[in-house]
Amino acid sequence: MSLILNNDSCLQDYQTLGGGKAYNLKRMVDAQIPVPEFIVVSNTFLLNYKKEINFSSLLGELTSPQLDAIRVEKIFRDHPMSLSLVEELKIQLSANNLDGVEVAVRSSGLDEDSKDHSFAGMFSSFLHQQTISQIEASIRECWASAYSERCLEYRLKNNLSTADIGMGVVIQKMAQSTVSGVMFTRNPIDQINHESVIVEALYGQCEGLVSGELEADHYVVNRKTEKYEFTLAEKIEKFQRASVGHGLEKVSLDEALKNTQTLEDKKISELLSLAKNIETWFNSPMDIEWAYEHEKLYVVQMRPITTLPPLSFYNALINGDQATLWDNSNIVESFAGVTTPLTFSLTKEAYAVVYQVTSRVVGVPEKVIAQFGSSYENMLGLIRGRVYYNLINWYKLLLMIPGFGSNQGFMETMMGVKEELTPSQQELFHFLDQAPKYSPLKRIQVLCGLIWKFIRIKSVTSEFTDNFNQMYSEYFQIDFEKKSLRELKSLFERWTQRITYQWKAPIINDFLVMVAFGTLKKLTEKWVASETPNLQNDLLCGQGEIDSTLPTITLMKLAKGYDESEEIKNLLSSKSNE
């Protein structure tokens, strides 16, 4: 088994012996991504060291994370590596151009960033190490960090073994950054803006950006054209190699660089090319930390952006090239919280059935209904557990009814949309002038059918309500937990036939309300000179008999009753809320 891994070692050895950081570095090398030279002290090297110092006897039983961490750290500090292990380390440093240069010594736990567990931030790293004695001591400190109090508590909490804790240690050349930063291969804030790569850049080491202590220049680069927009930060300081010790220090930046671009066109083009290559190789949007050592570009580390959708989301061949407009202004009243996939799937199907039935009721031809089949089936969407209307498909379905295709205002009123569409959003509705071509006779028939339903709305509503209440009362008495799956399916299908397929009255009523309210809004705006926005809403609320206003009206009645009772009034004003 390999004591020390280098570029010639296979990826499998890195995965099993090198730990998470080392494995990712090797994958980057195999993808021909420019990373600073490195070697990895493997877990086999650690096992040899433990065997030489008789570590298991010194370790004993682990009983208290706090006390054990102190004890184990002392064991590693008090027992230097044998001459043979140190000599092997020297040979590999020299063979990989790391002898005599400043290196970073970083822990790379075998459990780190695994599928089920992450030890992020729990292991040690040491920067700007140069002599063999510094490197050797730092390796032992990295090993000790695997037994830190936090790590041991994490293992106990997650039922992980403490008997065979493994670790690799990465020894990597320090990039003496003149310019550094981070780069996102897709926009992590504006997910729809899939053509942009985001670059943050500043002078010196990236620590200033990562820690949040320094402001960075912000670049938004178009993936195709390479054109970019930028916002310059006022750059006063930078992080660089400390003049004393092995860390970093913050120093004043040359006044001439204060308001200059950190990146010229050539570097932006190079970073963009790197971003696209990395994303293609790893098949994921990536967060990349990079550094320029003068004109030499290095990737320091990278990780997938887990808050973004997969790359297929941005692929026009897979996901189409048309945007979708989602809105929950109205439906949030019915689905106020997180909705399960089962509930959503049944609701989505019910909407499709109900609106197909309603279209037939108002006389829309079958061939037109068939033409809009996909719109019926995709009236709703489930996004991060929330139910939304697919506005584009709703508008398409409204086109089928003569007279509605050109009336966007009525539709927005019906849907409860609270914001006017922006110009870019309005472009999505290019199909509004493509309403089905009805003959004059058919238009009259459909409109007459709809008007007849409006005239009969009370009797239709009464019939629907009686049927619904009867079914509801019957089902309310059923103990569903005692029913078999076959019986439950039968009950569900019966409900679908008796209720879902008969959901005509509420939809007809919605159309009636939409037309009436839309007309009221237009007439109010035309006839009444008022500075009060949405005056029509105030007029209707004042009239009463609207269910959605009942909670407010009830609260007003309660408040009035309290005001008229001196006893209650004094009680409320003299006592605290508790």
Side-chain angles (χ1 to χ4, degrees):
M1 301 289 281
S2 301
L3 290 178
I4 295 180
L5 307 174
N6 54 36
N7 282 352
D8 295 329
S9 304
C10 68
L11 185 62
Q12 180 64 33
D13 282 349
Y14 271 89
Q15 187 170 23
T16 57
L17 303 175
K21 284 190 182 76
Y23 175 65
N24 284 332
L25 280 171
K26 175 59 174 173
R27 292 178 70 202
M28 290 161 69
V29 168
D30 289 349
Q32 298 183 326
I33 295 167
V35 298
E37 294 89 338
F38 69 94
I39 59 173
V40 177
V41 176
S42 76
N43 189 56
T44 306
F45 194 107
L46 171 59
L47 293 176
N48 282 15
Y49 167 82
K50 286 181 174 181
K51 184 177 180 180
E52 288 180 353
I53 68 170
N54 199 13
F55 180 76
S56 57
S57 297
L58 296 171
L59 179 64
E61 187 178 352
L62 298 176
T63 57
S64 166
Q66 184 178 14
L67 297 177
D68 291 334
I70 298 172
R71 185 168 56 83
V72 173
E73 185 178 32
K74 189 175 186 305
I75 293 174
F76 281 108
R77 284 183 175 176
D78 291 349
H79 292 80
M81 295 180 193
S82 66
L83 292 176
S84 61
L85 290 178
V86 171
E87 188 61 29
E88 178 66 21
L89 184 59
K90 283 182 178 179
I91 292 171
Q92 290 297 328
L93 287 170
S94 178
N96 290 277
N97 302 316
L98 296 171
D99 188 18
V101 302
E102 288 192 336
V103 296
V105 181
R106 293 190 174 95
S107 307
S108 180
L110 266 60
D111 299 300
E112 191 175 11
D113 299 327
S114 67
K115 181 179 179 182
D116 300 313
H117 303 287
S118 172
F119 288 78
M122 298 188 193
F123 298 142
S124 295
S125 293
F126 302 91
L127 306 180
H128 300 287
Q129 308 295 289
Q130 190 165 4
T131 67
I132 189 65
S133 60
Q134 291 170 346
I135 295 171
E136 188 269 344
S138 296
I139 292 171
R140 286 186 282 120
E141 291 284 356
C142 287
W143 289 337
S145 70
Y147 294 84
S148 68
E149 181 181 351
R150 284 181 65 197
C151 286
L152 292 176
E153 286 180 344
Y154 184 84
R155 287 184 174 278
L156 290 173
K157 180 181 177 180
N158 291 279
N159 297 316
L160 299 174
S161 172
T162 58
D164 54 354
I165 297 175
M167 175 172 282
V169 178
V170 175
I171 303 173
Q172 187 171 28
K173 176 188 171 184
M174 289 289 303
Q176 305 299 335
S177 309
T178 49
V179 176
S180 61
V182 296
M183 176 167 57
F184 303 94
T185 64
R186 302 283 172 171
N187 194 323
I189 304 301
D190 184 2
Q191 297 184 6
I192 301 302
N193 180 11
H194 60 276
E195 291 299 330
S196 295
V197 171
I198 306 300
V199 182
E200 304 272 346
L202 76 178
Y203 291 109
Q205 299 281 351
C206 198
E207 176 62 25
L209 177 58
V210 174
S211 65
E213 289 192 50
L214 300 180
E215 295 293 322
D217 292 347
H218 179 81
Y219 296 84
V220 181
V221 189
N222 187 282
R223 301 170 66 88
K224 294 180 178 178
T225 66
E226 296 194 14
K227 293 181 179 179
Y228 61 89
E229 299 174 356
F230 63 90
T231 304
L232 293 185
E234 188 176 51
K235 299 171 284 294
I236 300 172
E237 297 172 304
K238 70 174 181 178
F239 277 90
Q240 67 179 27
R241 166 80 161 86
S243 55
V244 178
H246 304 296
L248 298 173
E249 64 179 358
K250 190 162 57 174
V251 300
S252 296
L253 194 62
D254 190 326
E255 184 71 21
L257 300 176
K258 184 177 178 180
N259 293 305
T260 60
Q261 270 188 249
T262 45
L263 298 172
E264 64 271 20
D265 292 355
K266 178 185 174 184
K267 284 188 171 67
I268 291 174
S269 179
E270 191 174 9
L271 284 167
L272 176 61
S273 177
L274 177 69
K276 292 194 287 189
N277 289 340
I278 288 176
E279 186 181 82
T280 300
W281 181 270
F282 292 97
N283 195 32
S284 170
M286 300 295 286
D287 171 4
I288 303 162
E289 183 180 334
W290 54 268
Y292 270 101
E293 189 174 70
H294 301 295
E295 298 304 313
K296 175 65 175 176
L297 173 61
Y298 290 112
V299 172
V300 180
Q301 59 181 336
M302 64 182 185
R303 62 188 65 82
I305 306 175
T306 56
T307 57
L308 285 177
L311 286 183
S312 56
F313 176 84
Y314 303 105
N315 190 328
L317 294 176
I318 297 173
N319 206 29
D321 57 0
Q322 291 187 335
T324 302
L325 189 61
W326 301 103
D327 184 275
N328 70 345
S329 300
N330 182 297
I331 203 168
V332 71
E333 296 176 7
S334 302
F335 300 91
V338 171
T339 303
T340 64
L342 176 60
T343 298
F344 171 73
S345 64
L346 294 174
T347 305
K348 179 171 174 283
E349 181 182 338
Y351 266 74
V353 169
V354 164
Y355 281 87
Q356 284 175 329
V357 169
T358 305
S359 297
R360 294 185 177 99
V361 167
V362 298
V364 177
E366 285 295 330
K367 66 177 183 179
V368 176
I369 294 175
Q371 178 186 344
F372 287 87
S374 63
S375 297
Y376 284 113
E377 294 169 5
N378 293 282
M379 299 172 73
L380 303 180
L382 185 67
I383 304 172
R384 296 180 178 176
R386 307 282 177 171
V387 181
Y388 286 80
Y389 286 134
N390 184 330
L391 284 190
I392 294 175
N393 281 340
W394 278 88
Y395 275 78
K396 285 181 178 179
L397 295 180
L398 199 65
L399 283 176
M400 297 186 299
I401 302 175
F404 285 86
S406 60
N407 206 324
Q408 180 177 316
F410 280 10
M411 179 63 180
E412 290 177 359
T413 300
M414 176 187 177
M415 301 293 294
V417 177
K418 297 177 181 177
E419 304 173 20
E420 290 188 5
L421 299 179
T422 65
S424 62
Q425 290 169 344
Q426 290 177 6
E427 291 177 4
L428 301 175
F429 297 88
H430 56 82
F431 52 81
L432 287 179
D433 58 353
Q434 301 172 6
K437 305 301 181 184
Y438 292 106
S439 67
L441 177 60
K442 185 60 181 178
R443 289 166 62 90
I444 293 172
Q445 287 176 341
V446 172
L447 286 174
C448 288
L450 191 57
I451 292 170
W452 176 241
K453 295 297 180 185
F454 287 170
I455 294 173
R456 295 187 61 248
I457 187 64
K458 288 191 175 181
S459 61
V460 172
T461 301
S462 177
E463 181 182 341
F464 173 83
T465 303
D466 290 344
N467 180 50
F468 181 90
N469 289 337
Q470 177 188 341
M471 288 288 291
Y472 185 84
S473 297
E474 177 186 338
Y475 275 51
F476 191 79
Q477 305 299 322
I478 298 174
D479 186 348
F480 292 103
E481 292 187 0
K482 294 182 179 179
K483 297 295 182 181
S484 67
L485 290 176
R486 187 183 297 275
E487 290 172 321
L488 288 172
K489 184 172 184 290
S490 177
L491 287 167
F492 172 73
E493 289 174 344
R494 181 164 173 258
W495 179 274
T496 300
Q497 291 297 324
R498 289 283 303 274
I499 301 297
T500 307
Y501 276 94
Q502 303 303 319
W503 200 270
K504 303 168 187 175
I507 299 301
I508 295 170
N509 188 66
D510 276 351
F511 278 117
L512 177 58
V513 170
M514 178 183 70
V515 173
F517 187 77
T519 303
L520 174 65
K521 182 180 179 182
K522 283 192 172 184
L523 294 178
T524 304
E525 293 171 349
K526 181 179 179 181
W527 291 347
V528 182
S530 173
E531 296 181 359
T532 304
N534 300 318
L535 176 62
Q536 69 282 351
N537 291 342
D538 297 337
L539 292 172
L540 285 176
C541 291
Q543 181 186 8
E545 298 181 355
I546 297 179
D547 287 349
S548 59
T549 66
L550 289 180
T552 303
I553 293 172
T554 303
L555 286 171
M556 292 169 66
K557 288 180 178 178
L558 286 171
K560 182 179 179 182
Y562 295 154
D563 279 340
E564 293 173 349
S565 169
E566 287 298 321
E567 181 181 356
I568 296 178
K569 196 173 181 179
N570 292 333
L571 180 68
L572 291 173
S573 60
S574 63
K575 299 292 183 181
S576 68
N577 289 340
E578 288 77 10

